[in-house]
Amino acid sequence: MNDRPLTLMAVHAHPDDEATGTGGVLARYAAEGIRTVLVTCTDGSCGDGPGGVKPGDPGHDPAAVALMRRQELESSCAILKVSDLEMLDYADSGMMGWPTNDAPGSFWQTPVEEGAARLAELLRRYQPDVVVTYDENGFYGHPDHIQANRITMTALTMAVPTPKVYWTTAPRSMMQPFGQAMREFGADWQEPDPAEAAAMAEIGLPDEEITTWVDTTAFGGQKFDALAAHASQGENIFFLKMGQKRFTELMGVETFVRVQDTTGAPVPENDLFAGLR
């Protein structure tokens, strides 16, 4: 018998991504005694600087932002009880279309095989039973999220087989309540033009296509606090305006689509480790 603990590996693009989409499962499974490994691919240097200064504006120091975000990430991991943090430290590529997309050393410019080889080494070291990352569109088209998907799916072909692989997603039934909450808490949520509406319609999945619904309500406080640990990005983290109670009501179930499986566990399922314990 193998006495290695069950292990979850989440592969994310930036500091703070771990809390938004997977903070609940990281906290829940850590509480259940499962080893939780977070791989963060970029340094977050395209985030806001002190006082909300934006990338490219006077006073924005990418190196200082990266250091600050590393410290915030470590605080978030402590709140979520993440067992192991691994940083690939590629330069943040910024949003799609930004000049930083083309910068040498940016994650978006990194050959997929190179990034995948580094991640495959971590897969061999930790031998996760479950791997979670984004879908092929990076959930909403961010280049670093797309690249995280690409290197993860390639790395999985290089390393020991992983029993279960998931992509994060969101149920489209939640889009209207989410928009309502944004308006309720004062976000500048305008009705999108037809092109934007079509793009938004591609975010997430119809409820019936979601394979895995994990109740993390009991860990809503940890998830909220982990997000709040990324204080430098508070201007961009709308969820913090809701307060912990409303945040947990809206974000207390994390959803995934299962894309690889060797267990045969029936879907829909309510546990990433269904069939493994």
Side-chain angles (χ1 to χ4, degrees):
M1 293 291 291
N2 188 344
D3 61 0
R4 182 182 58 81
L6 285 172
T7 301
L8 166 67
M9 177 181 284
V11 182
H12 281 290
H14 312 98
D16 76 31
D17 290 332
E18 80 290 339
T20 307
T22 58
V25 293
L26 287 168
R28 171 180 163 167
Y29 290 124
E32 293 178 7
I34 288 171
R35 185 178 198 179
T36 53
V37 181
L38 171 64
V39 180
T40 301
C41 296
T42 80
D43 60 7
S45 55
C46 285
D48 287 358
V53 62
K54 305 298 181 186
D57 287 349
H60 187 278
D61 180 348
V65 170
L67 177 60
M68 175 175 59
R69 297 195 72 184
R70 168 66 183 250
Q71 293 166 344
E72 291 174 341
L73 178 60
E74 290 172 351
S75 296
S76 172
C77 286
I79 292 165
L80 298 173
K81 309 299 183 187
V82 168
S83 308
D84 299 270
L85 170 63
E86 298 284 350
M87 296 197 70
L88 300 186
D89 268 334
Y90 289 107
D92 189 340
S93 309
M95 299 296 286
M96 190 67 82
W98 287 14
T100 44
N101 294 175
D102 301 320
S106 72
F107 192 37
W108 188 236
Q109 289 299 313
T110 299
V112 169
E113 294 288 327
E114 176 190 318
R118 294 183 61 196
L119 183 57
E121 186 59 39
L122 296 176
L123 290 170
R124 286 188 284 267
R125 183 190 311 169
Y126 290 106
Q127 297 180 47
D129 303 279
V130 174
V131 169
V132 174
T133 192
Y134 314 101
D135 63 22
E136 292 163 310
N137 189 46
F139 187 62
Y140 68 99
H142 192 296
D144 287 331
H145 291 225
I146 294 169
Q147 188 76 328
N149 167 276
R150 291 173 177 172
I151 74 160
T152 301
M153 301 312 292
T154 302
L156 287 162
T157 69
M158 299 176 170
V160 294
T162 298
K164 304 184 83 175
V165 180
Y166 294 88
W167 293 346
T168 57
T169 191
R172 290 192 183 149
S173 64
M174 284 300 296
M175 293 304 168
Q176 185 174 356
F178 179 72
Q180 181 179 340
M182 291 189 76
R183 288 188 291 271
E184 178 184 342
F185 288 93
D188 184 17
W189 180 264
Q190 305 295 329
E191 287 300 318
D193 65 30
E196 290 174 333
M200 286 180 63
E202 296 302 312
I203 293 177
L205 288 172
D207 291 25
E208 63 272 15
E209 293 181 23
I210 293 174
T211 63
T212 312
W213 304 70
V214 184
D215 184 354
T216 62
T217 305
F219 302 92
Q222 276 176 267
K223 181 173 177 174
F224 184 86
D225 289 347
L227 205 54
H230 296 280
S232 70
Q233 308 307 303
E235 181 181 324
N236 299 321
I237 302 176
F238 158 76
F239 304 108
L240 296 176
K241 298 178 182 178
M242 297 181 180
Q244 181 180 309
K245 182 176 184 294
R246 188 62 189 280
F247 173 82
T248 301
E249 289 171 356
L250 276 175
M251 307 288 286
V253 175
E254 294 182 350
T255 50
F256 306 86
V257 58
R258 195 171 81 189
V259 294
Q260 290 184 20
D261 174 65
T262 63
T263 69
V267 294
E269 59 188 2
N270 61 10
D271 179 9
L272 297 177
F273 288 85
L276 290 168
R277 56 179 176 171

